């Protein structure tokens, strides 16, 4: 198990309950992180998109994570 520090924005902040959260993940890829998020915070499943950024770049599902990475959850944005 690895522990990652997450920064949250918009609706993800509401769903996780704070602007930063620590999450233990069984694995080390973005896909593993996304799976654990979905299990621990089922409300995230209702989002029509959720981007994960690692060190200020959008991450692919197979990207390997390090515990020192800056990870941000980017929810869908609405505007007009």
């Amino acid at each position: 198990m690895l522990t990652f520090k997450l920064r949250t924005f918009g609706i993800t902040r509401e769903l996780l309950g704070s602007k930063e959260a620590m999450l233990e993940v069984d694995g080390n890829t973005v896909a593993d992180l996304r799976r654990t998020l979905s299990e621990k915070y089922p409300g995230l499943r209702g989002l029509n998109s959720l981007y994960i950024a690692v060190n200020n770049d959008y991450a692919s599902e197979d990207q390997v994570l390090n515990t020192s990475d800056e990870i941000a959850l980017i929810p869908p944005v609405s505007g007009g």
Side-chain angles (χ1 to χ4, degrees):
M1 292 286 247
L2 297 172
T3 302
F4 298 102
K5 182 178 179 179
L6 311 175
R7 296 188 66 207
T8 61
F9 299 92
I11 188 70
T12 63
R13 183 171 289 173
E14 291 176 31
L15 292 170
L16 273 67
S18 66
K19 66 180 181 175
E20 292 184 344
M22 302 300 286
L23 184 69
E24 283 190 351
V25 177
D26 186 17
N28 67 342
T29 66
V30 170
D32 296 326
L33 175 74
R34 188 180 297 276
R35 182 174 40 256
T36 302
L37 279 167
S38 168
E39 291 168 358
K40 187 166 182 178
Y41 302 99
L44 291 173
R45 294 181 205 149
L47 301 178
N48 57 357
S49 67
L50 175 64
Y51 294 104
I52 296 177
V54 178
N55 300 322
N56 297 315
D57 290 319
Y58 289 115
S60 64
E61 293 297 300
D62 62 349
Q63 182 169 336
V64 174
L65 300 170
N66 296 301
T67 55
S68 61
D69 287 336
E70 180 179 285
I71 301 169
L73 304 181
I74 314 295
V77 179
S78 64

